[in-house]
Amino acid sequence: MTSVVTPRQERLVLLVPLVTLLMVSVAKSGIVSAFAGTAHETTLRVCADPNNMPFSNARGEGFENHLAQMIARDRHASVSYVWWAQRRGFVRNTLNARECDLVVGTVAGMEMLATTRPYYKSTYVFVSRRDRHLDIRSFDDSTLRQLKIGVQLVGDDFANTPPVHALAARGLRRNLVGYTLYGDYRAPNPPARIIDAVANGAVDVAVAWGPMAGYFAERSPVALDVVPVSPRIDLPFLPFVFDIAMGVRRGDSTFRHQLDDFIERRRDSIDSLLAAYDVPRVDRSVVRSQTRASRGSGG
Amino acid sequence: MPCVASLGSMQRVRLICAAMVVASSWSCKPEPSRSTGSMSASVGTAPQVSNGEVDSSADDGQWVRPAKDFASTRFSGLTEINATNVKNLRPIATFSTGALRGHESAPLVVGSTMYVITPYPNVVYALDLTKPGLPAKWSYNPKPALASQGVACCDVVNRGLVFDAGKLFFNTLDNRTIALDANSGKPVWETQVGDINLGETMTMAPLVAHGVVLIGDSGGEMGVRGWLKGLDENSGKVLWTAYHTGPDKDVLISAAFRPFYPQDQGKDLGVSSWPPDAWKIGGGTMWGWISYDPQQDLIFYGTANPGPWNHEVRPGDNKWTSTLFARKPTTGEAVWAYQLSPHDIHDYDGINEQILVDLPIGGQTRKVLIRPERNGYVYVMDRTNGQVLSAEPYGFVNASAGVDLKTGRLKYNPEKEPKLGKVVREICPAAPGMKDWQPSAYSPRTGMLYIPHQNLCMDEESLSANYIAGTPYVGMNVKMYPGPGGNRGELEAWNPQTGKQVWAVKEDLPVWSGAVATAGDLVFYGTMDGWFKAVDARTGAPLWQFKTGSGIIGQPITYRGPDGHQYVAVLSGVGGWSGAIVAGGLDARDSSAALGFVNAMKDLPSKTTKGGMLYVFGL
């Protein structure tokens, strides 16, 4: 599952250069039907970030790209993309602007769209260099007080990623080193800079969302350990595990039910796909990246 | 704050005057000789504006920069339109800008030409004031990158052009500063000063002082490190860059730096007042107003909020965000600084306007700077040294309990501090502050500051799932709603000597337009449902109003036309952060949209529709 599936008949009008922050390619075909699961449907219009591995990129290399292909094949359709950085305004300007009809990955229960049943549940993880032997598993580990801890920052709307709150609540604000989720969009996969920082020693440990961390840690030139955080829910209510689902427009219930059905039927294929991208799972017994880590294969 | 790009069609501004021939004989030279000397000598008893430019006998009838003069008074010495005849004011020309987003800019008048700049795509139009209907002479479309719309935090606005020495200067949303020949509309130079890939955009109007074009960036929500740059007026070359976070050498703080208060004294505070390296993404952009005192040869401006919004990750004062700077325009060197909102926790940017006047205080005339600040206080400061002389609330404030005049420190109310898992209710003012970017006006005749502002409070609560760049987290819900009294805005007349309100006109909607005061003792402003109004400068009594096609968030101006008569002009075209529900087509059911502003503006779509139009009024 490492080769790129060439998107057959994919109407990818623009190969998006990484220097382009936001770009939209609209299906050229004049036969894009309204996506309500009709028999006439020929194109699956997917809203996706062109520069955010392991989820998606403009070259179709992400697991969400592959999942979109699987769905399209299942429906005898081809895939077209509307590219937009997955930030504030993403859903509004793509899905809800009817430029496209499917967001392959979003957090279950997000209010701006209608989400399917979850197809995986992952967790925030601690990432550290294996040669440091830190073995941090909990926010309550007293070792953290001695360390520079990389965390990711959201930026606007007063919110932040859950590790920020958990660590701040434990009096570790001065230990935090912030990396924005936005980053420099000219570079590939901007959120991954936090993993680079662990590898090059800029921080001792990072706390990041599992799928991104698992993927880049596994491919790092330096052996990195990826360990799910604990607790899973910090009191009073701060979750570190999240269900990830697909998103459609509110009201597209027929399509949503079809996707629910697809997720159920193809569960094994989806699991294999996610495993190939080293997505840490908390809804399956095997957390692959940990397994690999224990084999000590390293970089 | 909506990132707003709707794709495609509406961005295409038609160049309605593309085929127009530029008249070679046309001149845009200032016409100082045509002063009428109509203003009385009553300024003698009223406070003097520092640079003398607003003395009405000297008023050349032009409007060459959004703030009118270097002191940023937005005061016109023209008197033809007054309380008696303003009722006869009627539209004499209109002009569609072809743009649908928020129109926050001020038209300029130079000689017999009016210049207008639109929101993205930042098209500049030159209109001929000598001909009926004000036909366009030329237009210039800088064609900003489509992608820049997705980066802008808060609608794709532009706050205006500035004219100096035969050239027009403006910024594009995709971070270019452009100089146009004011006669021909041809570009003279263009300098790329920022990068949308780093989250930067530009929305502010430049100021030209001492031959230097002063510009700043937007994007504090995107992990940007804010700056102000000085560009050579003739070549566009960047002469200096002053960052607003980081080590002293980056902030252009040298041995000559003399802040008044201990809180602002020390080495490399732009580093040490942050957690390690956090200053690199610490915000402190500059998307608002700059004033200039030619006597002192100092510019004054404030910086925006620290990033990220959530304060728990950035313990410390977070210098030099939400800070007022005095700098030398030619070198950028900081002379003094004063942090208005240390460790801001409520998104109180410090980019508002400052008006430079000389006021009698405590028996002596002080060179002061008046700032109606976002945190809810009108600061009166000694502009020679940065001392706060007074800071009085101009609306209902409970997020803080005033400013300690000994230490200069804002006294936060810990009960209103946002915390995860805790619902904090009734934080006043709300995130846009008591007043956002919309500039006030000052009349030396009345000694009053006319402050257009909002009256909003907010609740903050957590717990709605969100997902950015493939990363889930629990978002914060911000809900804004009207403050005490139920009106969402007002035009307030303020006496900066007493620190007290003189009168206020309550408005249902936030007053998101600028204000203009005249020697005819009138104040003009607009409302978000499209009414353009004149009130009596001394009493606030309503004297005239006209309903424009869309909500007004622009900056009105007044000028003397080539026919010798006084006119008033304003851009109508709702949008901005407050008007995003209309300009961005947001869903009224999503009360947290536009960072909670939509909740306070649910009725706006029933009161106005989008669309940019210039209105010119005369007697």
Side-chain angles (χ1 to χ4, degrees):
Chain A
M1 199 61 210
T2 50
S3 67
V4 178
V5 175
T6 307
R8 265 187 307 138
Q9 302 194 341
E10 184 175 294
R11 290 185 171 82
L12 186 62
V13 176
L14 294 166
L15 272 178
V16 181
L18 292 181
V19 293
T20 307
L21 178 59
L22 302 165
M23 200 169 276
V24 175
S25 73
V26 179
K28 265 187 191 163
S29 160
I31 51 167
V32 178
S33 60
F35 208 113
T38 67
H40 307 294
E41 163 201 318
T42 55
T43 303
L44 177 65
R45 303 190 307 165
V46 176
C47 331
D49 191 323
N51 184 24
N52 193 26
M53 288 293 280
F55 307 98
S56 59
N57 71 10
R59 291 193 293 272
E61 294 167 339
F63 68 75
E64 291 181 358
N65 297 108
H66 291 290
L67 202 43
Q69 287 294 333
M70 286 167 57
I71 297 164
R73 275 200 295 275
D74 197 62
R75 303 169 71 86
H76 308 288
S78 58
V79 174
S80 75
Y81 283 102
V82 168
W83 299 117
W84 197 275
Q86 193 176 43
R87 297 175 173 182
R88 177 172 277 278
F90 172 76
V91 173
R92 181 170 60 248
N93 286 304
T94 60
L95 189 79
N96 287 348
R98 297 187 173 270
E99 298 283 343
C100 46
D101 308 293
L102 172 66
V103 175
V104 180
T106 188
V107 62
M110 188 159 160
E111 285 172 5
M112 290 192 74
L113 35 63
T115 55
T116 64
R117 68 174 63 193
Y119 61 95
Y120 70 99
K121 182 196 284 273
S122 189
T123 175
Y124 276 84
V125 294
F126 290 111
V127 183
S128 60
R129 284 175 67 125
R130 190 162 304 148
D131 58 14
R132 297 285 305 274
H133 304 292
L134 293 176
D135 195 32
I136 290 162
R137 298 179 174 273
S138 164
F139 291 113
D140 295 314
D141 190 326
S142 59
T143 315
L144 287 169
R145 302 197 168 274
Q146 269 56 258
L147 302 178
K148 279 173 92 172
I149 310 165
V151 291
Q152 288 184 304
L153 307 176
V154 177
D156 53 14
D157 90 356
F158 292 109
N160 247 310
T161 55
V164 173
H165 298 295
L167 293 162
R170 287 165 174 78
L172 295 168
R173 293 172 193 200
R174 289 270 168 196
N175 300 64
L176 303 184
V177 180
Y179 293 84
T180 73
L181 276 172
Y182 305 114
D184 180 349
Y185 211 76
R186 293 169 300 194
N189 317 309
R193 293 301 85 73
I194 191 171
I195 307 302
D196 300 341
V198 176
N200 67 28
V203 295
D204 300 306
V205 61
V207 198
W209 177 235
M212 186 276 290
Y215 176 82
F216 287 105
E218 188 61 33
R219 285 149 189 81
S220 165
V222 181
L224 302 178
D225 282 336
V226 174
V227 180
V229 301
S230 119
R232 283 191 183 180
I233 297 178
D234 204 15
L235 297 175
F237 180 73
L238 182 62
F240 289 89
V241 296
F242 288 86
D243 284 316
I244 303 301
M246 298 179 198
V248 300
R249 263 184 305 280
R250 285 173 168 272
D252 279 359
S253 49
T254 305
F255 184 30
R256 183 163 56 85
H257 292 315
Q258 290 166 351
L259 291 168
D260 283 340
D261 174 63
F262 169 87
I263 290 167
E264 197 52 42
R265 282 189 288 111
R266 305 296 300 276
R267 188 163 289 283
D268 290 347
S269 310
I270 295 171
D271 286 346
S272 308
L273 175 67
L274 296 173
Y277 282 79
D278 303 289
V279 173
R281 301 282 295 270
V282 290
D283 54 341
R284 288 287 179 274
S285 53
V286 178
V287 178
R288 186 180 164 123
S289 58
Q290 270 198 309
T291 310
R292 283 197 192 179
S294 65
R295 283 203 305 268
S297 58
Chain B
M1 295 185 273
C3 292
V4 293
S6 141
L7 311 157
S9 59
M10 71 180 203
Q11 314 305 347
R12 303 211 179 285
V13 167
R14 191 165 287 175
L15 301 182
I16 61 155
C17 52
M20 295 222 172
V21 179
V22 177
S24 57
S25 61
W26 170 65
S27 154
C28 67
K29 282 197 201 94
E31 295 161 59
S33 59
R34 214 175 44 191
S35 66
T36 58
S38 53
M39 184 177 164
S40 72
S42 63
V43 282
T45 53
Q48 289 286 344
V49 171
S50 63
N51 63 3
E53 276 197 39
V54 298
D55 176 358
S56 93
S57 58
D59 195 308
D60 62 10
Q62 303 189 108
W63 201 279
V64 301
R65 60 181 73 82
K68 168 70 173 169
D69 46 53
F70 283 134
S72 301
T73 62
R74 290 179 161 80
F75 173 80
S76 164
L78 303 183
T79 53
E80 184 185 8
I81 301 171
N82 57 39
T84 311
N85 63 17
V86 66
K87 63 179 188 291
N88 301 323
L89 211 54
R90 60 188 175 80
I92 59 119
T94 59
F95 175 79
S96 170
T97 66
L100 296 176
R101 292 293 177 172
H103 286 59
E104 289 189 350
S105 70
L108 298 186
V109 171
V110 182
S112 54
T113 306
M114 179 180 288
Y115 300 97
V116 173
I117 185 166
T118 73
Y120 175 94
N122 307 138
V123 178
V124 179
Y125 295 100
L127 307 178
D128 187 346
L129 296 177
T130 64
K131 299 199 174 86
L134 316 187
K137 293 177 169 181
W138 52 258
S139 75
Y140 178 78
N141 185 347
K143 299 189 174 73
L146 179 72
S148 59
Q149 299 169 94
V151 184
C153 79
C154 330
D155 201 0
V156 293
V157 299
N158 185 290
R159 302 197 173 86
L161 309 139
V162 62
F163 171 86
D164 192 64
K167 290 192 276 291
L168 295 163
F169 305 90
F170 65 102
N171 297 313
T172 62
L173 192 65
D174 64 351
N175 304 299
R176 287 174 288 153
T177 302
I178 296 176
L180 299 180
D181 181 300
N183 272 312
S184 67
K186 298 274 185 291
V188 179
W189 53 257
E190 172 177 320
T191 304
Q192 185 81 42
V193 290
D195 191 332
I196 57 172
N197 287 297
L198 299 175
E200 287 174 327
T201 50
M202 288 176 84
T203 56
M204 59 91 77
L207 181 79
V208 183
H210 212 130
V212 180
V213 185
L214 301 155
I215 54 164
D217 59 346
S218 308
E221 281 67 34
M222 308 291 288
V224 160
R225 182 184 178 203
W227 45 255
L228 189 84
K229 289 177 195 284
L231 274 55
D232 178 75
E233 179 180 26
N234 294 313
S235 68
K237 181 174 174 254
V238 178
L239 302 171
W240 51 264
T241 299
Y243 287 98
H244 299 141
T245 67
D248 285 353
K249 66 172 168 48
D250 293 6
V251 187
L252 304 187
I253 287 175
S254 63
F257 184 57
R258 294 276 181 277
F260 191 85
Y261 296 102
Q263 69 162 15
D264 301 311
Q265 296 164 2
K267 188 169 165 44
D268 291 330
L269 296 182
V271 174
S272 62
S273 63
W274 294 87
D277 293 341
W279 56 269
K280 291 178 182 168
I281 52 170
T285 53
M286 167 44 202
W287 49 272
W289 301 111
I290 309 169
S291 301
Y292 176 56
D293 181 345
Q295 274 186 333
Q296 288 182 279
D297 193 29
L298 285 183
I299 56 165
F300 305 92
Y301 71 95
T303 62
N305 59 302
W309 274 26
N310 185 292
H311 67 101
E312 294 181 277
V313 293
R314 43 176 177 81
D317 275 359
N318 311 138
K319 290 187 188 310
W320 299 91
T321 63
S322 299
T323 298
L324 183 59
F325 273 105
R327 293 184 186 275
K328 293 279 179 194
T330 42
T331 61
E333 185 184 13
V335 174
W336 57 258
Y338 166 67
Q339 194 170 28
L340 297 145
S341 301
H343 186 73
D344 164 56
I345 57 179
H346 298 299
D347 186 34
Y348 295 157
D349 299 55
I351 59 79
N352 288 0
E353 73 283 4
Q354 46 276 305
I355 295 92
L356 313 183
V357 298
D358 296 350
L359 282 187
I361 290 177
Q364 54 176 317
T365 299
R366 303 285 294 261
K367 288 181 179 300
V368 304
L369 166 165
I370 310 170
R371 263 180 82 94
E373 187 58 35
R374 189 139 144 177
N375 64 17
Y377 303 95
V378 176
Y379 288 73
V380 177
M381 300 177 64
D382 184 328
R383 70 176 181 273
T384 65
N385 62 9
Q387 181 188 8
V388 180
L389 304 176
S390 67
E392 295 296 326
Y394 59 108
F396 180 68
V397 178
N398 66 14
S400 61
V403 177
D404 183 331
L405 293 184
K406 276 211 189 75
T407 63
R409 206 145 175 100
L410 182 67
K411 297 181 279 190
Y412 285 108
N413 177 356
E415 285 174 19
K416 301 299 179 185
E417 185 173 305
K419 277 209 178 78
L420 187 88
K422 181 181 154 199
V423 178
V424 183
R425 297 206 188 280
E426 290 180 25
I427 303 171
C428 310
M434 192 69 73
K435 190 180 83 62
D436 203 279
W437 72 280
Q438 67 271 40
S440 40
Y442 178 83
S443 168
R445 287 171 53 85
T446 64
M448 293 182 209
L449 186 67
Y450 302 95
I451 314 171
H453 69 99
Q454 54 269 11
N455 174 37
L456 297 170
C457 300
M458 66 179 170
D459 294 347
E460 287 182 355
E461 55 190 6
S462 49
L463 307 181
S464 77
N466 212 331
Y467 198 69
I468 282 183
T471 299
Y473 62 97
V474 175
M476 243 1 184
N477 271 339
V478 178
K479 275 187 192 164
M480 300 184 206
Y481 45 84
N487 56 305
R488 284 166 282 187
E490 64 182 21
L491 176 76
E492 180 174 15
W494 182 265
N495 184 330
Q497 290 185 68
T498 61
K500 291 201 164 38
Q501 182 188 101
V502 184
W503 51 257
V505 180
K506 294 198 184 317
E507 292 287 353
D508 176 28
L509 296 161
V511 183
W512 207 258
S513 84
V516 153
T518 74
D521 286 345
L522 300 174
V523 179
F524 292 90
Y525 70 104
T527 64
M528 288 191 69
D529 54 355
W531 287 101
F532 189 47
K533 300 187 176 184
V535 298
D536 186 302
R538 298 188 185 276
T539 65
L543 297 174
W544 171 84
Q545 61 179 4
F546 180 87
K547 183 73 156 60
T548 65
S550 178
I552 296 174
I553 60 165
Q555 305 162 54
I557 67 158
T558 183
Y559 65 96
R560 186 189 299 112
D563 60 359
H565 290 294
Q566 183 183 358
Y567 296 91
V568 183
V570 71
L571 282 162
S572 154
V574 83
W577 186 6
S578 55
I581 186 171
V582 174
L586 303 184
D587 187 342
R589 292 168 301 181
D590 182 3
S591 58
S592 65
L595 298 176
F597 219 141
V598 159
N599 190 60
M601 305 301 291
K602 283 179 177 167
D603 55 337
L604 191 62
S606 70
K607 296 186 169 170
T608 192
T609 52
K610 59 190 169 186
M613 183 81 85
L614 170 77
Y615 288 81
V616 180
F617 301 91
L619 290 172

